[in-house]
Amino acid sequence: MLAADNTARLCGRCHRDQRDQLRTPPAELRNEFFETPEFRAAFESQHIGKVFKAYRSHPRHLRLFGKPLNQELLGRWLGLSQAQVSKLENGKAEQNLETLRNYARILHLPRHLLWFDFPGQTRLLRAVEASREKDSLIAHTGMDTLELLQRVRASAINPATIDALNITIDQLCCEYSHADARALVATAKQWLGKMTELLNGRLTLAQHRDVLNDAGMLALLVGCLEYDLGNTRAAEATRHMAMKLGEESGDSAIVAWAHEMLAWFHLTAGRYAAMIPAAEAGVLAAPSQSVAVQLYGQQAKAYARMGQAEEAHQALESGRALLDKLPYPERPEHHFVVDPDKWDFYAMDTYRIVGEDQLAERNANEVIRRSVNPEGESVSPMRNAEAQLTLAVIAARRGDIDEAAALGVPALQHDRWSRPSLLLVAGELEDELDNYGADAGADFREMFGDVKRAR
């Protein structure tokens, strides 16, 4: 009977290993990834199927999976069946431009190597793509920030002004993951004040709803930043404001994100039982939107911390199933859409807590690699820090105390962090080090003590 139980457990683990393969393509791969003879020939052939083959057989995937990336997993990333991937790889070259662009976006193919253009962009202009994207406010609306502010002050609201406001707020939300929290929250509060002034002015019904939505999104952003900075009372008040704005405008996504914030507050404060109903309320508010994916991920973390491993895996399954149905986001770096890469981050956290160290380590290494863009700039320092702490916890469990401390110290030295979340995960490493005595990992303990005392 014992042998049968062990066999069933091993089979379940094997099934989970297959099930828990990385759910999204690696983000923003360095250009060196594509500098292989196979990729060079594939791009020169102008055949997307050959690019798929070069992608699947890349040495990186051999190291990660022990074998080439299979057509089934690639198909999941692209929203295709295994048979459709096979047909694309072995059949005639795909000619539909929008389809090609979509594949390129999902796999983060470098645009300077592609044989087709994107809207408003020729191959001659691709070298300056990044700088142009930073100037999206002017590029998309013909209106710079100063003019936008002048229009807002004068209540000169027209469709162009609304579009410019949307772009500005989207950009602020995209800067959440890496910008200085104090500077960003100050800017977001200024814009939130402008939105409040507009709501007191004369607007059409449609304009009033649009401004309410913008104000709700800004309130969500401000609340998250306030919580990151440790100002929990202000964060809860701002979250409540966002909830009311979402209810007034009828935007279910804003309402659901406000529930998600409460779930996050409960989770990082150790109120795991309270976190579950908060997450369920958010899923109920927007069951088919990307916020529900994140809420399932938060539930998985809470269940794992309560010692309910099976429920944690079920929550991951629910989130993963919904994620597979959703289109790939146009701006995955936006804080209030589910970045597909974020799923591996949530899974990493869950695996670490339930003790599935091999899966946690694999995901942590992938999160760290994705946290740096092709230019070597840190784009996700908070995820990077928690991934480093995950590797440190795993090292401590192996008995490698020096390695655990060496990994844990730099995780506390990032310029951008979420204080409650960092304290929660770093506390797990401290607990692991306690198993080896009060002096184990002294450097990490000293720095962590400074972080806990700091305000």
Side-chain angles (χ1 to χ4, degrees):
M1 181 63 72
L2 181 60
D5 288 343
N6 287 335
T7 300
R9 195 174 299 115
L10 288 171
C11 289
R13 177 62 60 83
C14 291
H15 173 67
R16 187 172 295 149
D17 288 344
Q18 294 171 356
R19 179 188 66 187
D20 290 323
Q21 287 180 326
L22 298 174
R23 301 300 300 166
T24 58
E28 301 301 329
L29 290 162
R30 293 178 181 274
N31 287 337
E32 288 87 343
F33 177 88
F34 299 95
E35 293 177 359
T36 68
E38 292 78 13
F39 261 127
R40 194 174 301 114
F43 284 119
E44 290 175 357
S45 73
Q46 299 190 4
H47 191 300
I48 197 68
K50 294 182 179 180
V51 174
F52 290 171
K53 283 186 177 180
Y55 193 101
R56 291 196 306 103
S57 61
H58 195 279
R60 177 189 170 280
H61 297 128
L62 294 175
R63 293 194 300 271
L64 187 61
F65 299 114
K67 57 184 178 181
L69 189 70
N70 62 47
Q71 292 177 335
E72 181 184 4
L73 183 55
L74 182 68
R76 289 181 197 167
W77 294 348
L78 298 169
L80 303 172
S81 67
Q82 181 274 327
Q84 289 172 316
V85 173
S86 179
K87 183 177 180 180
L88 283 167
E89 289 186 352
N90 300 300
K92 294 181 179 179
E94 173 64 54
Q95 298 296 327
N96 185 280
L97 184 57
E98 281 308 309
T99 300
L100 290 170
R101 288 170 177 168
N102 186 50
Y103 294 154
R105 289 189 190 100
I106 293 173
L107 295 180
H108 307 289
L109 301 179
R111 296 188 180 183
H112 69 280
L113 296 177
L114 299 176
W115 59 95
F116 50 88
D117 295 326
F118 282 73
Q121 177 194 50
T122 68
R123 273 158 279 187
L124 295 176
L125 296 177
R126 286 178 185 151
V128 294
E129 177 190 14
S131 62
R132 291 203 167 190
E133 287 183 351
K134 290 180 181 178
D135 201 22
S136 60
L137 179 64
I138 296 173
H140 287 283
T141 68
M143 190 185 307
D144 61 21
T145 304
L146 179 59
E147 182 182 353
L148 176 58
L149 282 170
Q150 290 171 340
R151 282 175 173 266
V152 169
R153 291 192 186 105
S155 295
I157 303 300
N158 56 27
T161 308
I162 294 294
D163 287 344
L165 285 171
N166 291 337
I167 292 169
T168 299
I169 293 164
D170 281 348
Q171 185 58 42
L172 291 174
C173 291
C174 289
E175 292 174 4
Y176 168 85
S177 65
H178 57 84
D180 178 82
R182 296 186 184 279
L184 185 57
V185 76
T187 301
K189 283 182 176 180
Q190 288 176 350
W191 280 107
L192 186 55
K194 299 300 179 186
M195 298 299 99
T196 304
E197 292 175 16
L198 282 179
L199 290 170
N200 291 327
R202 299 180 63 181
L203 299 170
T204 67
L205 184 61
Q207 289 171 344
H208 186 79
R209 185 175 60 252
D210 288 338
V211 175
L212 277 174
N213 287 342
D214 286 339
M217 190 62 66
L218 277 171
L220 291 171
L221 177 63
V222 169
C224 288
L225 290 164
E226 288 171 335
Y227 195 70
D228 287 347
L229 293 167
N231 194 346
T232 56
R233 183 175 299 178
E236 173 54 26
T238 310
R239 184 197 72 82
H240 186 72
M241 175 187 181
M243 176 78 78
K244 293 300 183 184
L245 288 166
E247 290 172 347
E248 187 176 347
S249 69
D251 191 319
S252 60
I254 290 176
V255 172
W257 279 111
H259 284 295
E260 190 277 340
M261 286 176 65
L262 180 59
W264 179 36
F265 296 172
H266 285 320
L267 178 68
T268 51
R271 301 187 293 265
Y272 307 134
M275 183 271 172
I276 299 300
E280 290 174 343
V283 172
L284 186 63
S288 60
Q289 298 189 45
S290 65
V291 59
V293 177
Q294 183 146 323
L295 285 159
Y296 286 125
Q298 300 284 31
Q299 284 183 322
K301 292 184 178 188
Y303 280 128
R305 285 181 166 85
M306 290 189 290
Q308 298 175 233
E310 189 56 38
E311 287 81 356
H313 282 293
Q314 288 175 358
L316 284 181
E317 287 286 357
S318 297
R320 185 179 296 112
L322 177 56
L323 182 61
D324 286 344
K325 297 176 183 178
L326 296 174
Y328 192 80
E330 292 183 7
R331 301 199 71 179
E333 70 274 24
H334 194 293
H335 185 55
F336 298 107
V337 300
V338 171
D339 170 3
D341 295 336
K342 190 182 291 184
W343 193 251
D344 293 324
F345 173 70
Y346 277 116
M348 172 198 77
D349 205 33
T350 304
Y351 297 149
R352 181 190 69 247
I353 300 163
V354 300
E356 296 187 19
D357 290 350
Q358 186 175 1
L359 289 172
E361 184 175 20
R362 182 203 65 185
N363 280 42
N365 285 322
E366 189 65 18
V367 168
I368 289 171
R369 192 188 63 76
R370 293 175 181 175
S371 69
V372 179
N373 68 13
E375 287 71 43
E377 300 168 334
S378 177
V379 292
S380 301
M382 291 181 286
R383 293 187 201 174
N384 184 293
E386 293 194 25
Q388 287 178 305
L389 288 169
T390 292
L391 295 178
V393 167
I394 294 169
R397 289 172 180 170
R398 290 196 301 254
D400 195 339
I401 305 305
D402 292 339
E403 176 69 7
L407 288 165
V409 167
L412 303 179
Q413 295 175 323
H414 288 273
D415 294 331
R416 175 72 171 96
W417 62 29
S418 173
R419 177 180 173 79
S421 186
L422 184 75
L423 291 177
L424 179 67
V425 182
E428 292 179 28
L429 176 56
E430 186 177 49
D431 291 342
E432 293 291 342
L433 293 172
D434 285 343
N435 295 324
Y436 302 94
D439 296 330
D443 291 344
F444 170 80
R445 290 178 184 275
E446 180 179 358
M447 183 170 290
F448 188 36
D450 291 340
V451 171
K452 287 188 284 188
R453 287 187 293 270
R455 288 290 182 267

